[in-house]
Amino acid sequence: SQRSEADARASAQSMRSRFGSIFGNAQLEIQRADLGARGIYYRVMLPASSRSQAADVCARVKSSGGDCFVP
């Protein structure tokens, strides 16, 4: 999560460069999240067809030194 949409887009580009082989052809998405008193954040998300697929991709990202979570 980033505080600005521009920072989230930069993070998405960095993630694509670093983990693109794990993501395949899937397109990263930016989701705006209003956390009330904590402010607005922008999350970089990778759509998955199932929770199982999401968990698999997340595990592969973590094993490659990245960080992620399955909502």
Side-chain angles (χ1 to χ4, degrees):
S1 293
Q2 302 294 331
R3 293 300 300 223
S4 76
E5 187 173 359
D7 287 344
R9 291 196 185 284
S11 288
Q13 182 60 38
S14 176
M15 292 170 64
R16 170 64 61 197
S17 295
R18 189 170 175 194
F19 305 112
S21 62
I22 295 171
F23 299 158
N25 293 329
Q27 296 297 312
L28 295 172
E29 298 176 356
I30 306 298
Q31 180 186 59
R32 182 180 185 270
D34 185 344
L35 303 181
R38 292 182 17 198
I40 305 288
Y41 285 82
Y42 294 86
R43 298 174 177 157
V44 179
M45 301 184 72
L46 179 70
S49 60
S50 69
R51 185 167 183 79
S52 174
Q53 180 193 28
D56 178 58
V57 170
C58 191
R60 292 172 59 200
V61 166
K62 286 180 178 182
S63 72
S64 295
D67 190 26
C68 66
F69 72 96
V70 178

